[in-house]
Amino acid sequence: MSIIEVKGLRRAYGGRPVVDGISFTVDEGEIFGILGPNGAGKTTTVECVEGLRVPDAGTVRVAGLDPIADHDRVTRLLGAQLQESELQPKLTVGEALELYSAFYQDPADRGHLADRLGLTDLLGRRFGKLSGGQKQRLFIALALIGNPRVVVLDELTTGLDPRSRRDTWRLIEEVRDSGVTVLLVTHFMEEAQRLCDRVAVIDRGRIAALDTPAGLIRGASAATVISFTPSRPLDPADLTALPAVTSTSRDRDGRITLHGADDTVTALLSLLARHSVTAGRLRVVDATLDDAFLDLTAGHGATDLIDRES
């Protein structure tokens, strides 16, 4: 059952359309991801969902409510972590949780929330003394303090180191498992592939694709990525002529990467055998959401090898 419905959403700045007819629904209890290049319209879209911006056209509904006309009611069922968030540096974690809980008639238990998000030992620490990961955990807590049915997380893990990012991912999965619907804006493909039930890819203000991460990957022009270092040079034309190849490249160390399909692997092995070439460090992997994203937002076709043999 849909808890968020967006239909024909449009928003322009200075006459330039930033969101141009976007439509999607978010089912209750899912993690719904929004991906897109910088400036694609991701943040403007979720700000319209949050009631922070007024659409020029189209409709937005959160649990059947209009985020503008029913703003007070929407704020009671929707929590948000904004793309850029700051608190007063001398405010402690405990004071921030107490302040935000006072905004709601039926807030979550502060102690339980702090314990759940690993903030109990930080309650007396000032915001200005928190690490990036600790600040993100606090912002998640503040987004959840009102017991929301929906939480919007915009670029949640930007600037975090890999360990902190993965710790934050586990927190988001726990939030979803508790029954909260998550609308996640991110530009990290691995993050979307790991967390999201469905993903909308926005490009130049429009939805380029909407599917599960696996469905988007299956639709990529290259479902298989092959990389190897040949024992001696190969003719670039032989590689680009392999079946289903969509792109080829070679780095400065001579390692070749092909994007193709299962048929490409079989044909490549035959080519190597015919020319008595050994494939060093041969690696064959499935395409990722990165590959699908590049297809959808920029497009790519078969290309010549870098640094052609003279």
Side-chain angles (χ1 to χ4, degrees), residues 57 74 78 80 84 120 143 179 182 191 256 292 310:
V74 169
L78 184 148
E84 296 182 6
T120 301
V182 178
E191 181 167 283
I256 293 172
S310 59

Short mmCIF file of all heavy atoms in Angstrom, two decimals, residues 57 74 78 80 84 120 143 179 182 191 256 292 310:
data_model
loop_
_atom_site.label_atom_id
_atom_site.label_comp_id
_atom_site.label_asym_id
_atom_site.label_seq_id
_atom_site.Cartn_x
_atom_site.Cartn_y
_atom_site.Cartn_z
N ALA A 57 3.60 22.58 -10.09
CA ALA A 57 2.50 21.78 -10.66
C ALA A 57 2.63 20.36 -10.12
O ALA A 57 3.67 19.96 -9.60
CB ALA A 57 2.56 21.78 -12.18
N VAL A 74 1.33 16.45 8.53
CA VAL A 74 2.40 15.70 7.87
C VAL A 74 3.66 15.69 8.74
O VAL A 74 4.35 14.67 8.83
CB VAL A 74 2.70 16.30 6.48
CG1 VAL A 74 4.00 15.70 5.91
CG2 VAL A 74 1.55 16.02 5.53
N LEU A 78 6.07 12.42 9.59
CA LEU A 78 7.25 12.35 8.72
C LEU A 78 8.44 12.98 9.44
O LEU A 78 8.37 14.13 9.90
CB LEU A 78 6.98 13.08 7.40
CG LEU A 78 8.08 13.02 6.33
CD1 LEU A 78 7.45 13.03 4.93
CD2 LEU A 78 9.04 14.22 6.46
N ALA A 80 12.72 13.88 9.12
CA ALA A 80 13.65 14.18 8.03
C ALA A 80 15.04 14.48 8.55
O ALA A 80 15.21 15.12 9.59
CB ALA A 80 13.13 15.37 7.22
N GLU A 84 22.05 19.15 4.43
CA GLU A 84 23.01 19.90 5.23
C GLU A 84 22.35 20.25 6.56
O GLU A 84 21.40 21.03 6.59
CB GLU A 84 23.46 21.16 4.50
CG GLU A 84 24.22 20.87 3.20
CD GLU A 84 24.70 22.14 2.53
OE1 GLU A 84 24.54 23.22 3.12
OE2 GLU A 84 25.25 22.03 1.42
N THR A 120 24.11 6.61 23.91
CA THR A 120 23.99 6.69 25.37
C THR A 120 25.24 7.27 26.01
O THR A 120 25.18 8.12 26.90
CB THR A 120 23.68 5.31 25.96
OG1 THR A 120 22.45 4.82 25.40
CG2 THR A 120 23.53 5.39 27.47
N ALA A 143 15.51 12.56 13.58
CA ALA A 143 14.50 12.29 12.56
C ALA A 143 13.48 11.28 13.05
O ALA A 143 12.34 11.25 12.57
CB ALA A 143 15.16 11.78 11.28
N GLY A 179 9.51 -0.99 11.01
CA GLY A 179 8.23 -0.64 10.40
C GLY A 179 8.18 0.75 9.80
O GLY A 179 7.13 1.16 9.27
N VAL A 182 11.35 4.32 4.59
CA VAL A 182 12.53 5.16 4.41
C VAL A 182 12.60 5.65 2.96
O VAL A 182 12.56 4.86 2.02
CB VAL A 182 13.83 4.40 4.75
CG1 VAL A 182 15.05 5.30 4.51
CG2 VAL A 182 13.79 3.90 6.20
N GLU A 191 25.55 1.94 -1.77
CA GLU A 191 24.57 2.18 -0.72
C GLU A 191 23.16 1.83 -1.20
O GLU A 191 22.40 1.13 -0.51
CB GLU A 191 24.64 3.65 -0.30
CG GLU A 191 23.70 4.05 0.81
CD GLU A 191 24.09 5.42 1.35
OE1 GLU A 191 25.07 5.49 2.11
OE2 GLU A 191 23.42 6.42 1.00
N ILE A 256 43.18 -4.88 -19.33
CA ILE A 256 42.04 -4.63 -20.21
C ILE A 256 40.74 -4.92 -19.47
O ILE A 256 40.63 -5.90 -18.73
CB ILE A 256 42.14 -5.50 -21.48
CG1 ILE A 256 43.35 -5.06 -22.33
CG2 ILE A 256 40.86 -5.44 -22.30
CD1 ILE A 256 43.65 -5.96 -23.49
N ALA A 292 24.57 0.35 -14.48
CA ALA A 292 23.21 0.71 -14.88
C ALA A 292 23.01 2.22 -14.80
O ALA A 292 22.38 2.83 -15.67
CB ALA A 292 22.20 -0.01 -13.98
N SER A 310 50.47 1.25 -31.71
CA SER A 310 50.91 1.94 -32.94
C SER A 310 51.43 0.96 -33.96
O SER A 310 51.70 -0.18 -33.64
CB SER A 310 51.99 2.94 -32.57
OG SER A 310 53.08 2.32 -31.96
#
